[in-house]
Amino acid sequence: MKIGLDMMGGDFAPLEAVKGLQLFLSSQEEAPANVFLFGDEAQVRPLLEEHQVPLDRVTVVHTPQVIGMHEHPTKALKEKQQSSITVGFHFLASGKIDAFISAGNTGAMLVGACYSLKSIEGVLRPTISTIIPKEDGKTGLLLDVGLNADCKPENLNQFALLGSLYAKHILGIEQPRVGLINIGEEEGKGNILAQATYPLLKENNQINFVGNVEGRDVFIDSADVMVCEGFTGNIILKLAESLYDITQRKSIEHEYFDRFNFENYGGTPVLGINKPVIIGHGISHAKAFKNMLSLSSKMINSNLFEQMQQAFAPSALS
């Protein structure tokens, strides 16, 4: 197993990436054979030595260029061929690594994931999701959360299937319940998109559809996988993130609100492509990098991608 890590992505790179790498390697009983580190070798190597990262467990790939957080994604990927993100995707596409992680330019990561790698055959659009902490201690999944601001009903139907497979094989939810984010519980509620999506989800025998879920249901145990277009999903995501920020500013301590700390989950995977690509928050610290590495390891070791390929095969969809 070979995991690629962008050492230059994020506001606190490369220090926090190194610290997260050290936490990950020290926590693994059977660590991956190699972690490929893409970044400026002059900056990365002294930090590896300082934080006692075992050098026999990593391979440093020198990349002298960095794609800044505010650069145009497509232009930067094209013009900066020696950047950590560009080279990382080249290694992933060519099979030199099995997964790629970055807390750098989100747009560049999304463009790289969609154009450097092939989507799973049958998938119309890849999607991104976020973990939703439930009040009763369980975990939910919300998608899309920003990659697809405008969608067709067929897209949401596919997101439901992708989310169900991820919830089952990565989150360990045996029979995930799928809910459609809407403004009412009754069938026929909502805008044109929601009204057209409902019957598709209802007829989809590959998922466990439980109907509409409202905003008040997001944080309670009404559904395990909640589906919407990226515009709505991103608003819910940012609202959820603000809950944790507010509790920190007001010194409110509660185990439930602590679960809204994004660092507990590391980053979000791009679902619908053939290999694990995980995108982290720009303000990621060591804990987030450690958890992104753990998630990538879990995705590589699972049969998630084989299950997705089978689910979208023509014979499964007919």
Side-chain angles (χ1 to χ4, degrees), residues 33-288:
N34 215 321
V35 180
F36 282 65
L37 311 179
F38 301 94
D40 183 349
E41 191 167 5
Q43 295 184 56
V44 172
R45 281 204 178 274
L47 291 172
L48 295 175
E49 296 175 4
E50 178 184 347
H51 292 275
Q52 300 181 337
V53 174
L55 298 181
D56 62 332
R57 305 274 285 283
V58 302
T59 298
V60 179
V61 181
H62 177 59
T63 54
Q65 295 177 311
V66 178
I67 295 178
M69 298 297 280
H70 302 291
E71 291 191 63
H72 187 279
T74 305
K75 182 179 179 182
L77 284 167
K78 183 178 180 180
E79 295 181 352
K80 292 189 172 181
Q81 292 293 307
Q82 294 302 310
S83 70
S84 52
I85 290 179
T86 305
V87 176
F89 273 116
H90 173 72
F91 271 58
L92 184 61
S94 60
K96 295 178 181 178
I97 55 176
D98 303 309
F100 183 49
I101 299 165
S102 177
N105 186 304
T106 300
M109 286 295 292
L110 292 172
V111 171
C114 293
Y115 291 99
S116 297
L117 303 172
K118 291 182 179 179
S119 294
I120 292 171
E121 187 175 356
V123 172
L124 299 172
R125 294 187 190 177
T127 181
I128 55 176
S129 63
T130 191
I131 295 295
I132 296 292
K134 298 291 188 174
E135 184 185 16
D136 61 358
K138 295 180 181 179
T139 296
L141 190 73
L142 175 70
L143 70 168
D144 185 279
V145 292
L147 180 54
N148 301 284
D150 295 298
C151 292
K152 296 180 179 179
E154 294 79 9
N155 301 133
L156 297 192
N157 190 35
Q158 291 196 346
F159 297 166
L161 179 53
L162 290 168
S164 294
L165 291 168
Y166 184 83
K168 179 177 180 179
H169 295 282
I170 302 300
L171 301 182
I173 304 172
E174 185 56 35
Q175 194 174 9
R177 298 160 298 163
V178 176
L180 174 65
I181 296 289
N182 210 330
I183 59 172
E185 295 180 356
E186 303 85 1
E187 185 174 353
K189 286 282 189 175
N191 57 16
I192 294 174
L193 175 62
Q195 291 177 24
T197 301
Y198 192 103
L200 294 183
L201 298 177
K202 188 176 180 179
E203 296 167 8
N204 189 340
N205 59 15
Q206 292 185 285
I207 64 173
N208 177 24
F209 181 53
V210 295
N212 291 326
V213 292
E214 299 180 85
R216 63 185 176 186
D217 300 312
V218 171
F219 300 123
I220 63 175
D221 191 27
S222 295
D224 303 300
V225 177
M226 294 163 285
V227 180
C228 59
E229 90 295 338
F231 185 89
T232 299
N234 192 263
I235 290 174
I236 296 174
L237 167 62
K238 298 298 173 60
L239 174 63
E241 288 181 347
S242 74
L243 293 177
Y244 178 74
D245 294 337
I246 290 170
T247 60
Q248 294 300 292
R249 289 197 296 269
K250 293 186 176 295
S251 300
I252 299 172
E253 295 186 8
H254 193 282
E255 60 182 10
Y256 175 63
F257 291 113
D258 288 343
R259 294 179 63 211
F260 283 84
N261 181 359
F262 76 90
E263 299 222 359
N264 293 329
Y265 315 106
T268 180
V270 182
L271 301 179
I273 57 177
N274 279 305
K275 294 183 180 182
V277 172
I278 298 173
I279 302 173
H281 204 300
I283 57 172
S284 293
H285 287 85
K287 183 178 182 180

